[in-house]
Structures are given as C-alpha cells and as structure tokens.
C-alpha cells in the first residue's frame, strides 16, 4: 500500500478563497445529507462571498476558517454572532469537511481553533450549533470538545425523500481561562 502525505493549512478565509469555497460547498452538499444545503447549490456568487470574507477578516464576532490542501478547500468552519447587543455574545457555528477527509481529525482541529478564537477575543461567550441526531460521529465530536445537548428540535430537517429528522441543539459556554 502506498501512503500519500498531504500538507493541510488552516487559514482565515479571504476573497481569493471564494471560488474554491463555493466548489467545496457544492461538493459537500452532494456527499452527505447531514447538511441543510442540498445539490441545488450554494446561494452566494463568488463576488458576494469574496466581500463577506474580506469584511469578516479580523472581526471580533465572526470567523471563516478553512482547511486547505493545495488549491482545494477540504474543510470549513464559520462562526457568526449577531450585532444586536443582547445576543452579540452568541456565536452560531456551521462546520463541514469533505467526505474523503472524514476521520482524519480535521473537524476536531477546526472546532478547537474556534473555541480558542472565542476564548481569546473575549466577546463570544457561547458557541452553539444544531446537528441531526442521527449524525452520531458529529455529536460525539462536539461532546468531546465540551458541547452539551441542550434540547431537541422535532422535525427540524428532512431528507430528500421526505423523512422527518430531529435535531439536537448543542451549546458550549466559553470561559476566560
């Protein structure tokens, strides 16, 4: 068996990543039905996404972090918080990894970076996400990193065939330690 080593870089998204990110999102949408997005595609143009990435660089309440191998985005995590004061401390997480990179710790590294970013910026005090209950690998990862199941959303999503799926609400409080 030949073992191929690939170098993976983790970097904050900028305008130059827009096209590769859209390709990534369209690919992962077709690889799994654990995401809300389906094969109809990503809703932003590359110009719109480039502006979003550039506007978020260095932002204290949003982060777009990519795992990049060569010219390809192979994983991504996004954290966004509202500008409304009362909920500006809550960061909502989206995370995805290309299926051929599952099981290599990329999702864990991305989430660890998010937690460290939230700790260091001092603004985000709570991270939260939703995950399909049937996505046991993701649920286990989130729990391993300190996220707790806080509730269940009945029929929060559905498959392309119309099967109703329940979601977990999961959250993690960020301390200043």
């Amino acid at each position: 068996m030949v073992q191929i080593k690939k170098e993976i870089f983790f970097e904050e998204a900028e305008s130059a990543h827009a096209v590769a990110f859209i390709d990534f999102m369209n690919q992962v949408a077709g690889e799994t039905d654990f995401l809300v997005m389906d094969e109809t595609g990503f809703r932003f143009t590359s110009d719109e996404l480039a502006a979003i990435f550039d506007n978020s660089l260095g932002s204290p309440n949003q982060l777009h972090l990519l795992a990049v191998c060569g010219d390809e985005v192979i994983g991504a995590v996004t954290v966004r918080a509202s500008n409304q004061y009362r909920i500006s401390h809550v960061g909502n997480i989206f995370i995805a990894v290309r299926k051929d990179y599952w099981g290599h710790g990329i999702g864990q590294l991305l989430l660890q970076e998010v937690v460290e970013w939230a700790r260091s910026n001092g603004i985000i005090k709570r991270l939260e996400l939703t995950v399909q209950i049937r996505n046991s690998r993701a649920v286990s990862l989130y729990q391993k990193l300190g996220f707790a199941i806080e509730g269940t959303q009945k029929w929060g999503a559905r498959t392309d065939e119309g099967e109703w799926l329940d979601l977990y609400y999961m959250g993690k409080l960020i301390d200043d330690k």
Side-chain angles (χ1 to χ4, degrees):
M1 179 178 200
V2 176
Q3 196 173 36
I4 299 173
K5 293 186 178 191
K6 296 181 178 182
E7 200 166 21
I8 299 171
F9 295 94
F10 295 87
E11 52 195 40
E12 200 167 345
E14 52 189 43
S15 59
H17 294 113
V19 171
F21 184 81
I22 292 170
D23 291 343
F24 163 77
M25 289 301 297
N26 288 330
Q27 181 172 354
V28 296
E31 291 177 340
T32 181
D33 60 359
F34 290 138
L35 299 177
V36 174
M37 191 178 90
D38 58 25
E39 69 280 346
T40 57
F42 195 63
R43 65 183 178 117
F44 293 106
T45 67
S46 59
D47 288 341
E48 291 169 332
L49 190 59
I52 289 169
F53 285 164
D54 280 347
N55 289 334
S56 71
L57 284 172
S59 170
N61 70 346
Q62 59 181 304
L63 175 69
H64 302 281
L65 185 63
L66 306 178
V68 179
C69 183
D71 293 332
E72 295 183 314
V73 175
I74 60 165
V77 65
T78 296
V79 182
R80 302 192 105 201
S82 173
N83 288 325
Q84 295 177 324
Y85 174 77
R86 292 181 179 180
I87 56 173
S88 63
H89 65 287
V90 179
N92 293 291
I93 295 175
F94 165 82
I95 185 168
V97 175
R98 270 187 27 194
K99 193 170 189 174
D100 51 341
Y101 288 89
W102 288 2
H104 295 283
I106 294 167
Q108 181 173 335
L109 287 169
L110 286 167
L111 277 177
Q112 286 171 330
E113 286 297 319
V114 162
V115 170
E116 186 53 39
W117 169 80
R119 275 195 184 110
S120 67
N121 84 10
I123 293 171
I124 305 297
K125 296 297 184 183
R126 172 183 169 76
L127 294 170
E128 61 185 27
L129 54 84
T130 58
V131 60
Q132 293 177 20
I133 290 175
R134 67 186 182 140
N135 191 350
S136 58
R137 289 177 58 173
V139 172
S140 293
L141 171 62
Y142 304 148
Q143 288 176 320
K144 179 179 177 180
L145 295 175
F147 286 78
I149 297 170
E150 298 178 336
T152 302
Q153 182 183 23
K154 297 291 187 182
W155 293 10
R158 62 180 163 193
T159 65
D160 293 339
E161 294 76 34
E163 174 190 355
W164 296 109
L165 302 170
D166 296 342
L167 306 177
Y168 282 139
Y169 286 110
M170 297 187 77
K172 176 179 177 62
L173 299 180
I174 302 300
D175 55 17
D176 292 328
K177 299 176 190 171

